[in-house]
Amino acid sequence: MSTADTVSLPLSAKLEYKVEDLPDTNTVEEELLSDSDNEDTEGEEREEREEEGEDVVDAKKCKKKKLFKYFDSYIPRIIKCIYPEGGITSDARQQTNSALITLSKKISNDAIDLTQLCGKKTLSVKEVGNSLKINLNGDLLTHANAEGYKAIEKSKEKDLTLKKGSSRQQKAGIIFPPAILEKFLRNFDNSKIMVTKDAATYLAAALEYLCMEMLLTAVFQVKEDNRVRITVKDVEVGIKKDRELSLLINKNNIIFLGGGVVPFIHPVLCV
């Protein structure tokens, strides 16, 4: 059929619209005006809040991300192990957490440097142990190494008995999670070096021992003063009384705000 042969429909076959079916122009205009008024009022409210300094955030985007506090929540658990009847102030806990973060960064960075110097692609227990030898000395180093190897042996034994869902810290019998120390050893995903699972467990156990030693010296101070809660002054004075801990803290330039000094009176002044 050619385009020239067009078929014309009769008028009766054409669709007839009733006037009632068509939308009222007045109602449409009113709806449009109301929508525009709502948008204007919302915009004015937003501008007023911005002028007052309030943060304007959509409801979908207002989900707060959980803060990652490293060792902050694990320090009270260590205190319950060594001093069940006592506690620690929030300021002392936060500053102890900051000191542990500084030590973790230093030990991890040294271990990464040693791995790169050896031309290796995987960071193992050996590099972490050598890094501890650089930063620690004396009995502190001996006991930290012993705790690290003990945790690795426990985790290997518990691999056969515990279920698959159990965590690495449960298998190793420690409080500090190896996952946190693994982040430091991986330089927070900024390093291409791979890390063995035993290296993170070893460092977590060694750092937990350091934290326990720091808090033990503070507990002695609290008991001398007949108090219950550990303060920043107790932590700093206790560390300064221990020669090896004091050397470690001074080497890494760790300062406790609001701490104290070791009380000392020169013998000449004593009457």
Side-chain angles (χ1 to χ4, degrees):
M1 187 174 177
S2 62
T3 54
D5 300 330
T6 56
V7 179
S8 59
L9 294 173
L11 292 173
S12 60
K14 292 182 180 179
L15 295 174
E16 295 180 357
Y17 295 100
K18 294 181 180 180
V19 178
E20 296 174 357
D21 296 336
L22 294 173
D24 190 5
T25 56
N26 294 328
T27 56
V28 172
E29 288 177 359
E30 289 175 359
E31 288 176 359
L32 291 172
L33 288 171
S34 63
D35 292 339
S36 62
D37 291 338
N38 291 331
E39 289 176 359
D40 292 339
T41 53
E42 288 175 2
E44 289 174 359
E45 289 175 359
R46 182 180 285 269
E47 287 175 0
E48 288 176 359
R49 280 181 286 167
E50 285 177 352
E51 288 176 359
E52 291 174 0
E54 296 180 4
D55 294 330
V56 181
V57 184
D58 294 335
K60 294 180 180 179
K61 297 180 181 179
C62 67
K63 292 182 180 179
K64 292 184 179 179
K65 191 176 180 181
K66 191 176 180 181
L67 293 174
F68 182 57
K69 296 184 179 180
Y70 298 97
F71 311 103
D72 191 71
S73 58
Y74 301 99
I75 291 170
R77 291 171 60 183
I78 290 178
I79 290 172
K80 290 299 177 186
C81 294
I82 60 177
Y83 188 41
E85 65 274 12
I88 187 169
T89 62
S90 60
D91 191 18
R93 188 182 70 243
Q94 289 169 7
Q95 294 201 41
T96 306
N97 179 42
S98 300
L100 291 171
I101 291 169
T102 304
L103 293 174
S104 301
K105 285 180 181 178
K106 182 67 171 64
I107 295 167
S108 301
N109 290 336
D110 289 344
I112 292 168
D113 292 340
L114 290 170
T115 308
Q116 291 174 344
L117 285 171
C118 296
K120 295 171 67 176
K121 294 183 179 180
T122 305
L123 193 152
S124 63
V125 175
K126 184 179 178 181
E127 282 72 37
V128 179
N130 290 331
S131 178
L132 287 176
K133 288 178 183 178
I134 295 170
N135 292 281
L136 307 180
N137 54 5
D139 293 336
L140 207 62
L141 173 62
T142 306
H143 293 303
N145 277 327
E147 291 294 326
Y149 285 117
K150 193 191 296 183
I152 291 172
E153 289 174 5
K154 275 187 182 179
S155 63
K156 287 179 180 178
E157 290 174 3
K158 295 290 179 69
D159 274 336
L160 304 173
T161 56
L162 289 178
K163 296 179 181 179
K164 290 183 179 180
S166 55
S167 62
R168 283 188 284 176
Q169 65 202 80
Q170 287 177 340
K171 292 177 183 177
I174 56 178
I175 296 172
F176 283 178
I180 294 177
L181 278 305
E182 191 171 344
K183 289 182 179 181
F184 285 100
L185 291 172
R186 293 184 185 277
N187 199 11
F188 294 90
D189 293 332
N190 291 323
S191 176
K192 295 180 181 178
I193 295 173
M194 293 181 288
V195 179
T196 61
K197 65 175 184 178
D198 289 342
T201 305
Y202 179 89
L203 182 55
L207 200 73
E208 183 180 318
Y209 167 74
L210 291 176
C211 178
M212 200 170 289
E213 283 292 316
M214 291 166 65
L215 294 174
L216 263 175
T217 55
V219 167
F220 295 146
Q221 286 295 122
V222 170
K223 288 182 177 178
E224 283 179 7
D225 299 338
N226 294 322
R227 288 184 285 106
V228 178
R229 300 184 76 190
I230 298 170
T231 61
V232 181
K233 182 180 178 181
D234 298 324
V235 176
E236 186 171 15
V237 173
I239 288 171
K240 285 181 178 178
K241 284 185 176 180
D242 190 291
R243 186 179 61 83
E244 293 172 357
L245 281 174
S246 179
L247 184 65
L248 175 65
I249 294 299
N250 292 332
K251 190 192 294 183
N252 292 283
N253 297 321
I254 297 172
I255 299 171
F256 291 90
L257 299 176
V261 295
V262 178
F264 174 74
I265 300 173
H266 200 277
V268 176
L269 300 175
C270 295
V271 178

